[in-house]
Amino acid sequence: MQLSFSNRIVQGLGRQNTHIGFDWGPGELLLYETRYPNTDNAHLATAGRVSVLRNDDDLYSPALRKLFNESHGIFVDLQKSEEETASSRTRKAHLVHVSKRYRSVLQACMQEMHKVASKSQNSFLLFHTQLSILSAMELCWNLCEILFIEAATAGSLLVHLLDWIRMHSSDTDSAAEEVLQSENPLQHERFWDVITGYVLQARMDEARQMLAKEAAVSASTRSMCRVLDDLLRKMPKFNVCNRDQTLTEFELKWQHWREECERHLQCGTFSSSPQMESICKVLLGAEDTLLEKKDLMGTWYHFLVSQLLFTHPTVTLAEIHSYAQSCLDIFNAGDSSSEPLDNVLLAAFELDIHQVIKEFSIVTNNWWFVAHLTDLLDHCQLFQSHNMYFGSNMREHLLLEYASGLFSHHSLWQLGVDYLDHCPELGRVYLELHMERIPLSTEKKALKALRICEQRQMAEQVRSICKTMAMQAMRNRRLGSALSWSIRARDAGFATLISDRFLKDYCERGRFSDLDLIDNLGPAMLLSDRLTFLGKYREFHRMYNDQQFEEAACLLLSLMTARIAPCSFWLTLLLDALPLLEQQQVIFSAEQTYRLMSCLEDRTAAKLEQIQSEESRKSQDSSIENTKVEMLRLALARNLARAIVKEGTVQV
């Protein structure tokens, strides 16, 4: 398993006689073809190809969606947990449990990815790199859990490291399966390698089972097998759960056992069996013999744990870093070049958590690992004294970077909100900036964003979202939706504009659209004068349809005299009075009729000024409008006469 920097090949760019221009964006790199004139250095864009490279391609991997979603829930639970206020022992157990939850999610994603990758060669090539990265994440996380969260003490430290090696080394199990499935396991070339591999991982019971097969068949080696089996059985094991066992007692037992192994080796007990003699040397921790078996271990950190198992089983956290560097140098046989993963693990063994975060940040193309691990370690109070130069600590800085990456995804952005909520210094600022930049592609997405902003009392972002959606609805000629969004934005100017569009639409079609919205404006109609007019004008129509003629007449007159209707709509209001003027019953009083006449004359005067300021107008439209005005004057004159007669008549 190796981590390395990968080259990205962009198809189609860099053709003959072209240069590549680039521009950085948040998490993206824009590449485009350019050409450079010979006269100067200024580049001119051509009609060439354009490509966008994302720095966080993992966010768009369907196989990793589970990782992001599941870990988000664990993160939120950790922030809300009340365990941190409990005793230190309970708190430590809780943090270890949280760490195991994170690792279980990583393992589940790897298993799922293995299933998908095994279906075809193309799938394997596609997921191979991601599997390597996930495997490295789980390996490093598990080690950090042992060294920093568990903070294992002498004795228990090696027990945890052995579990770590067994979990991440499957070569021995694969070899054992191959041997046992062969026709003659004892004659298989890897039979003794399997036994040695089990011993190197302290899996003594399994090694003894394999050794028993040799003892059952070969009479010549049976006695040696029994002695070796007895040594494997007697090897002391530190019991983490047994609190009565002291470290001194364990060291004494281990020393006696080691002396017994050395005595058998010196007496030549296994001299007739090179394989058993080699295993006995392994039990004594002979460095040369262990190096001969390096192929069975595969990695320097397996070599480290195996060497500590047989030479210093009570190693402490403070001592292990010196062994780690030495084992790395010996295992690589002086090769100074090391893999990025080696640097991460070495930094962990040196208990330099800042270097671990730095090294892993370099080799991965997303911030998931470093953000979540740093947050967990921060709860262990390992970052209290390390602040960044721009004001936030390392935990917050990494969470901000990770959340910013999530906001670039069309659906994962909702997860990023919770991460920013738990960044006390700059989280609010980042959230405000990101919420303003979310592409509001659907109304459903806009409502989600709006709810998030309203819950956090982000008034400016609420207005921005509502205005954006109102503009989109306007462009799509959805006036009802546009008006609803403008009301939510409390934008009086935009509400006035949409109200004018409603009135214009009414003049063209003779009816209102979205009646349910207009009928239920309620107090929202007070947002602007024009919206108030729209609501009241619709109320006039309801009164007229319900044959409440007198109330409708009073409302219509108040709308005209209040001057809140647009000038272009005055004639429509006056024409709405015609049916009331022609009723058999006198609806408008003489005073009201005079006021209607005054409104008509004001409108005529305003129209004349408008005509004089225009260079031309259509004669046909003017003729129709003049006819309407004459009809109004005639109806007003008749209604005035009827009103005067009615008001002057004495009721007997």
Side-chain angles (χ1 to χ4, degrees):
M1 176 174 47
Q2 295 180 346
L3 288 179
S4 59
F5 301 103
S6 60
N7 295 322
R8 297 283 296 276
I9 299 176
V10 183
Q11 299 292 340
L13 285 178
R15 297 174 296 177
Q16 188 175 8
N17 298 325
T18 62
H19 297 270
I20 304 299
F22 69 92
D23 193 15
W24 288 103
E28 296 176 341
L29 175 63
L30 174 67
L31 299 175
Y32 51 91
E33 292 183 347
T34 63
R35 60 184 174 85
Y36 289 81
N38 294 328
T39 55
D40 55 34
N41 292 327
H43 66 270
L44 301 176
T46 68
R49 304 192 180 192
V50 175
S51 180
V52 176
L53 298 183
R54 297 185 181 276
N55 187 43
D56 52 357
D57 283 341
D58 287 350
L59 292 176
Y60 295 85
S61 171
L64 292 179
R65 289 294 296 274
K66 182 177 182 179
L67 174 65
F68 299 126
N69 285 308
E70 294 288 338
S71 59
H72 163 261
I74 299 171
F75 171 83
V76 174
D77 289 344
L78 176 59
Q79 312 310 310
K80 296 179 179 178
S81 174
E82 297 179 356
E83 294 284 345
E84 295 185 12
T85 60
S87 64
S88 59
R89 179 177 296 178
T90 306
R91 181 169 176 267
K92 176 180 176 180
H94 172 67
L95 293 174
V96 171
H97 174 68
V98 171
S99 178
K100 293 183 185 297
R101 288 179 64 191
Y102 276 124
R103 290 199 295 113
S104 67
V105 173
L106 275 171
Q107 293 164 3
C109 286
M110 285 191 289
Q111 291 175 2
E112 189 171 333
M113 203 173 288
H114 272 297
K115 291 179 182 178
V116 176
S118 62
K119 293 181 179 179
S120 66
Q121 183 67 19
N122 291 335
S123 298
F124 177 79
L125 295 175
L126 179 64
F127 291 114
H128 176 70
T129 302
Q130 289 183 342
L131 277 169
S132 298
I133 293 293
L134 288 178
S135 181
M137 285 181 179
E138 209 281 331
L139 177 75
C140 296
W141 191 298
N142 195 351
L143 181 60
C144 290
E145 177 185 306
I146 296 169
L147 300 178
F148 299 106
I149 304 173
E150 187 80 43
T153 56
S156 62
L157 174 58
L158 186 62
V159 174
H160 289 302
L161 289 176
L162 284 169
D163 291 336
W164 173 60
I165 286 298
R166 293 165 190 155
M167 183 178 297
H168 298 95
S169 179
S170 59
D171 292 344
T172 301
D173 292 316
S174 301
E177 184 178 359
E178 179 186 340
V179 169
L180 293 174
Q181 289 179 353
S182 64
E183 294 182 1
N184 191 349
L186 296 179
Q187 299 301 320
H188 196 283
E189 61 180 2
R190 302 197 66 185
F191 176 77
W192 288 102
D193 287 344
V194 170
I195 297 177
T196 306
Y198 282 143
V199 171
L200 290 169
Q201 295 181 14
R203 297 162 66 176
M204 302 309 179
D205 291 339
E206 291 157 285
R208 291 173 61 200
Q209 290 175 9
M210 295 292 289
L211 191 61
K213 297 181 183 297
E214 170 73 14
V217 175
S218 176
S220 61
T221 60
R222 189 168 299 160
S223 61
M224 288 186 292
C225 288
R226 288 174 181 172
V227 174
L228 183 58
D229 178 81
D230 191 51
L231 292 176
L232 296 178
R233 179 180 59 83
K234 289 181 178 179
M235 181 177 180
K237 297 179 182 178
F238 188 86
N239 193 340
V240 180
C241 300
N242 186 6
R243 297 183 181 178
D244 295 332
Q245 182 185 27
T246 64
L247 197 61
T248 304
E249 180 184 354
F250 170 77
E251 288 178 332
L252 187 61
K253 289 181 179 179
W254 182 81
Q255 190 62 38
H256 285 313
W257 170 82
R258 194 173 191 280
E259 290 174 357
E260 185 177 355
C261 294
E262 190 171 0
R263 185 171 63 252
H264 282 292
L265 185 64
Q266 291 177 353
C267 293
T269 305
F270 308 108
S271 58
S272 60
S273 175
Q275 296 90 345
M276 294 191 200
E277 187 176 40
S278 176
I279 293 175
C280 187
K281 290 180 180 179
V282 168
L283 295 178
L284 289 169
E287 186 175 295
D288 293 341
T289 306
L290 287 173
L291 285 174
E292 290 175 3
K293 307 298 181 182
K294 63 186 298 185
D295 291 340
L296 300 180
M297 292 177 279
T299 60
W300 68 269
Y301 45 90
H302 191 331
F303 174 70
L304 165 67
V305 176
S306 296
Q307 187 184 59
L308 290 173
L309 172 65
F310 300 114
T311 59
H312 193 2
T314 56
V315 65
T316 64
L317 286 173
E319 298 169 338
I320 198 169
H321 69 89
S322 60
Y323 289 98
Q325 183 64 64
S326 174
C327 287
L328 177 61
D329 295 337
I330 294 172
F331 194 84
N332 290 335
D335 185 4
S336 59
S337 62
S338 58
E339 298 292 336
L341 179 60
D342 296 337
N343 297 332
V344 177
L345 296 176
L346 189 60
F349 282 120
E350 292 175 351
L351 303 182
D352 189 350
I353 187 58
H354 300 104
Q355 191 64 23
V356 171
I357 299 301
K358 177 182 177 181
E359 293 288 348
F360 215 99
S361 300
I362 294 173
V363 297
T364 55
N365 59 353
N366 72 73
W367 298 91
W368 182 90
F369 177 86
V370 292
H372 289 87
L373 180 61
T374 303
D375 172 66
L376 183 57
L377 295 177
D378 184 73
H379 283 80
C380 299
Q381 300 179 349
L382 296 176
F383 287 99
Q384 298 300 312
S385 61
H386 192 82
N387 290 327
M388 310 299 285
Y389 69 91
F390 47 79
S392 65
N393 57 30
M394 180 178 284
R395 169 193 175 273
E396 179 161 326
H397 169 69
L398 295 173
L399 287 178
L400 291 173
E401 293 294 338
Y402 176 65
S404 298
L406 292 176
F407 268 96
S408 67
H409 193 272
H410 61 88
S411 62
L412 293 177
W413 64 270
Q414 297 175 77
L415 306 182
V417 174
D418 287 324
Y419 288 96
L420 295 180
D421 280 343
H422 293 95
C423 295
E425 295 292 333
L426 301 173
R428 173 81 178 197
V429 176
Y430 269 63
L431 183 58
E432 290 175 353
L433 294 173
H434 282 300
M435 293 306 296
E436 291 177 352
R437 289 167 172 77
I438 292 177
L440 303 176
S441 52
T442 63
E443 192 159 316
K444 181 179 179 180
K445 188 174 182 179
L447 289 172
K448 290 180 181 178
L450 187 65
R451 183 170 60 253
I452 289 170
C453 294
E454 288 176 341
Q455 289 172 349
R456 291 156 181 80
Q457 299 180 347
M458 298 163 59
E460 189 62 34
Q461 284 67 35
V462 168
R463 284 193 293 271
S464 175
I465 292 171
C466 292
K467 289 174 70 173
T468 300
M469 294 306 297
M471 288 295 295
Q472 290 184 11
M474 278 281 287
R475 286 194 292 268
N476 296 326
R477 302 186 63 82
R478 294 166 50 235
L479 296 182
S481 178
L483 181 58
S484 176
W485 283 109
S486 65
I487 291 173
R488 295 190 72 164
R490 307 296 298 171
D491 190 332
F494 204 71
T496 298
L497 175 64
I498 299 174
S499 299
D500 286 340
R501 291 288 296 272
F502 265 106
L503 296 174
K504 180 181 178 182
D505 189 56
Y506 172 79
C507 292
E508 294 174 353
R509 301 168 58 188
R511 58 185 176 84
F512 282 114
S513 59
D514 300 287
L515 287 178
D516 289 341
L517 175 63
I518 301 175
D519 288 342
N520 295 282
L521 284 174
M525 71 171 65
L526 301 177
L527 181 61
S528 73
D529 290 345
R530 199 59 48 80
L531 188 57
T532 302
F533 171 77
L534 178 64
K536 291 297 182 181
Y537 185 58
R538 170 57 189 159
E539 187 179 340
F540 159 76
H541 278 277
R542 287 202 307 272
M543 289 179 177
Y544 184 85
N545 292 334
D546 294 341
Q547 296 186 357
Q548 301 176 18
F549 298 131
E550 293 185 1
E551 292 85 352
C554 292
L555 179 57
L556 182 64
L557 185 61
S558 66
L559 289 177
M560 285 188 284
T561 55
R563 294 292 196 269
I564 59 175
C567 295
S568 59
F569 205 73
W570 286 1
L571 182 59
T572 302
L573 287 175
L574 290 166
L575 291 173
D576 284 332
L578 267 178
L580 297 173
L581 293 170
E582 298 295 338
Q583 292 286 332
Q584 291 183 355
Q585 178 185 359
V586 176
I587 305 299
F588 290 103
S589 65
E591 180 183 357
Q592 290 175 326
T593 307
Y594 280 127
R595 293 168 66 185
L596 286 173
M597 289 179 171
S598 175
C599 291
L600 177 60
E601 294 306 317
D602 290 344
R603 188 267 169 194
T604 304
K607 189 67 177 179
L608 288 174
E609 293 179 2
Q610 181 181 353
I611 292 173
Q612 291 174 0
S613 64
E614 294 176 353
E615 296 181 359
S616 62
R617 62 186 178 92
K618 296 181 180 180
S619 59
Q620 184 178 2
D621 293 342
S622 177
S623 176
I624 295 174
E625 188 172 309
N626 289 336
T627 301
K628 293 178 180 179
V629 171
E630 291 303 321
M631 289 174 57
L632 276 170
R633 284 180 174 151
L634 180 60
L636 287 168
R638 281 203 301 262
N639 187 81
L640 180 60
R642 293 165 59 200
I644 291 174
V645 170
K646 178 182 178 181
E647 293 170 7
T649 302
V650 178
Q651 298 293 335
V652 179

